[in-house]
Amino acid sequence: MTTTQLPEGLADSAARIGGPDGVLTDAQVHDFIVGQLRDHPFEGRSVCVIVPDATRVCPLPQLMRAVHEGLHGRASRITVLIALGTHSAMSETALGALLGYEPGRLEETYPGVTVLNHEWWKPETFADLGTIPQSRIEELSEGRIHQEVRVLLNRAVVDHDVSLVVGPALPHEVVGISGGNKYFFPGVAGQEIIDVSHWLGALITSSEIIGTTGITPVRALINEGSALIPSEKLAVKIVTAEGSGLHSVSFGSTDAAWASAAEVCAQTHVHYLDAPVKRVLSLVPRMYDEIWTGAKGFYKVEPVVADGGEVIVYAPHITEVARNHPEILEIGYHCRDYFVKQWDRFKTVHWGTLAHSTHLRGAGTYDADTGTEELRVKVTLATRIPREVCESINLGYLDPDSVDVDAYWHDPDTLVVPNAGEMLYRLGGPRS
């Protein structure tokens, strides 16, 4: 993978408060956001505020109060759009908890605001921004993908004068560091660019791309699609602190604010180990309610597991694999080469599903002549998903009631990761 360095001065072109070595007060966060928004020309312009769903740790009520204060009475219209990607729609109760208002009383907390789920399952949701030609896709993907890509985006983004992305920057298995234009693609995008971007990341592999701060091929593709968006693109990007609070808040264009936050994220959200570990017990939080999202408990630790080691994804609350992607139950979980070397068999499956499969199964090889798949580490689910289902999708099973977490904490061969899915674990030192 070739990683393009960030354009010189890009991160510095965003305004930022805070950094990797401290935690901001609530007043500092509020005053910074309100001040930055009040200094920007929003008068008479409509604003689409794009935020993450509940699968990200983010103090959205705190941020939304400041954003609303900075925009209310100035913007002609404010729409909050939930960047679901292909996750399930959020109920009114869940939206209230996410954004900080009593369900059914949105207007009382945020006057003049409309809240929308990204209804990715409805064709009428999308506006067609055009097509990225095959030659450009080949260039951006460094020769890995050979097709044009149609760029569909939630029309709410197109129908507003300004798009304001609000959310965290985190190490990410597909793009390197999440945030910025990723909230458009895949956050509120159509299936084709989601599939292509995710499969591109899978071809590079999660362990290679995750936590990379530069412009990875996947981010380059996302940026290419974002260049077709007609509205002004701004972002309030945060970096959360372990436990609570924020290390930093950045404001500027989606590119600049992301670059600024990524600098901090790379210093705060990566733990480095001197040597690989035999076993990881990932304690998956309840915000991940299916393996489709709970798999982050594997992505973030794969780089530190020794060859032949094991990752136990401990999530007694999870009962299903992927409610919106039943095809994963048919193809199971396999390494990248399992699909690449049988491409005619799998090419019609959503490439985003193939990517998810490889990300959870990790590194390995496949011999097409013998049909033998060799996998670098063992992946075991300690969830409420039955043994027969786990084994049918090529994953191990462990009865969650048999897991003694305290015993694992005292086992020298085991790394126990609380709140798994946010912090990245790597060997050695920082990388660009």
Side-chain angles (χ1 to χ4, degrees):
M1 176 185 70
T2 300
T3 302
T4 304
Q5 296 300 313
L6 296 174
E8 187 174 354
L10 177 61
D12 293 336
S13 65
R16 185 172 82 201
I17 185 173
D21 298 324
V23 176
L24 300 169
T25 67
D26 290 350
Q28 286 176 312
V29 172
H30 173 271
D31 292 348
F32 175 81
I33 294 173
V34 172
Q36 292 298 316
L37 295 181
R38 283 181 174 168
D39 287 343
H40 197 82
F42 287 107
E43 278 73 18
R45 305 171 75 193
S46 56
V47 181
C48 183
V49 181
I50 305 172
V51 301
D53 65 8
T55 62
R56 302 292 187 272
V57 171
C58 179
L60 267 177
Q62 175 189 11
L63 303 181
M64 277 302 304
R65 287 191 292 270
V67 167
H68 185 261
E69 184 174 333
L71 296 178
H72 182 56
R74 303 172 62 214
S76 62
R77 179 164 53 110
I78 304 172
T79 300
V80 174
L81 179 62
I82 312 299
L84 293 175
T86 56
H87 296 170
S88 297
M90 300 187 69
S91 67
E92 174 65 10
T93 298
L95 289 171
L98 179 75
L99 298 172
Y101 68 89
E102 187 175 337
R105 304 179 72 172
L106 172 66
E107 180 66 20
E108 295 178 29
T109 304
Y110 301 118
V113 170
T114 300
V115 177
L116 302 174
N117 277 298
H118 169 57
E119 297 179 324
W120 54 269
W121 55 92
K122 295 182 179 179
E124 61 268 26
T125 291
F126 299 101
D128 191 336
L129 302 187
T131 299
I132 304 173
Q134 178 177 323
S135 59
R136 183 59 174 152
I137 294 296
E138 290 173 346
E139 179 182 359
L140 295 169
S141 70
E142 299 175 342
R144 294 179 177 91
I145 294 180
H146 308 277
Q147 68 172 64
E148 66 180 22
V149 175
R150 187 181 178 200
V151 181
L152 300 183
L153 189 69
N154 192 300
R155 65 177 61 256
V157 176
V158 178
D159 291 345
H160 288 72
D161 301 312
V162 182
S163 297
L164 178 63
V165 170
V166 178
L170 296 164
H172 194 270
E173 63 277 3
V174 174
V175 71
I177 298 284
S178 70
N181 291 327
K182 185 180 177 296
Y183 275 66
F184 301 119
F185 307 102
V188 294
Q191 188 70 52
E192 186 171 341
I193 195 167
I194 291 176
D195 280 346
V196 171
S197 61
H198 279 65
W199 185 235
L200 174 56
L203 291 172
I204 296 169
T205 73
S206 170
S207 60
E208 175 67 19
I209 205 169
I210 194 168
T212 303
T213 57
I215 305 296
T216 63
V218 180
R219 183 159 289 278
L221 172 57
I222 287 170
N223 289 347
E224 190 81 5
S226 298
L228 300 175
I229 299 173
S231 57
E232 182 180 12
K233 299 180 290 294
L234 300 171
V236 173
K237 298 305 302 177
I238 65 164
V239 178
T240 57
E242 283 193 88
S244 64
L246 302 180
H247 283 297
S248 68
V249 185
S250 301
F251 174 77
S253 70
T254 48
D255 291 324
W258 168 78
S260 174
E263 285 186 343
V264 178
C265 175
Q267 299 176 70
T268 59
H269 279 65
V270 186
H271 291 315
Y272 295 98
L273 304 185
D274 294 329
V277 297
K278 181 178 179 180
R279 183 185 303 105
V280 175
L281 178 68
S282 284
L283 308 180
V284 175
R286 286 188 169 274
M287 69 175 177
Y288 304 131
D289 62 356
E290 56 182 342
I291 295 303
W292 189 265
T293 52
K296 290 181 183 292
F298 174 80
Y299 308 155
K300 301 293 174 69
V301 301
E302 180 190 3
V304 300
V305 183
D307 291 349
E310 180 184 24
V311 176
I312 301 171
V313 178
Y314 177 69
H317 60 282
I318 289 181
T319 61
E320 54 190 331
V321 179
R323 65 182 66 92
N324 296 324
H325 306 276
E327 63 271 21
I328 192 65
L329 296 174
E330 300 174 12
I331 66 171
Y333 288 90
H334 300 278
C335 69
R336 174 194 63 188
D337 290 355
Y338 180 89
F339 298 116
V340 170
K341 294 184 177 182
Q342 303 180 86
W343 191 237
D344 285 344
R345 175 184 172 191
F346 291 106
K347 64 184 179 182
T348 58
V349 178
H350 279 310
W351 293 5
T353 303
L354 298 181
H356 164 72
S357 173
T358 70
H359 291 151
L360 178 54
R361 208 55 192 85
T365 61
Y366 178 74
D367 187 323
D369 293 329
T370 63
T372 302
E373 184 178 22
E374 299 286 346
L375 298 163
R376 193 181 73 82
V377 301
K378 181 180 180 181
V379 181
T380 301
L381 301 187
T383 68
R384 300 299 174 191
I385 298 170
R387 177 190 295 274
E388 59 270 23
V389 175
C390 293
E391 293 176 349
S392 73
I393 55 179
N394 202 32
L395 299 175
Y397 169 83
L398 180 63
D399 181 354
D401 294 332
S402 72
V403 175
D404 185 339
V405 175
D406 187 61
Y408 279 112
W409 274 110
H410 291 90
D411 178 6
D413 290 329
T414 300
L415 171 67
V416 178
V417 179
N419 296 315
E422 296 269 322
M423 301 297 297
L424 170 63
Y425 288 76
R426 276 203 172 280
L427 297 175
R431 56 190 293 179
S432 61

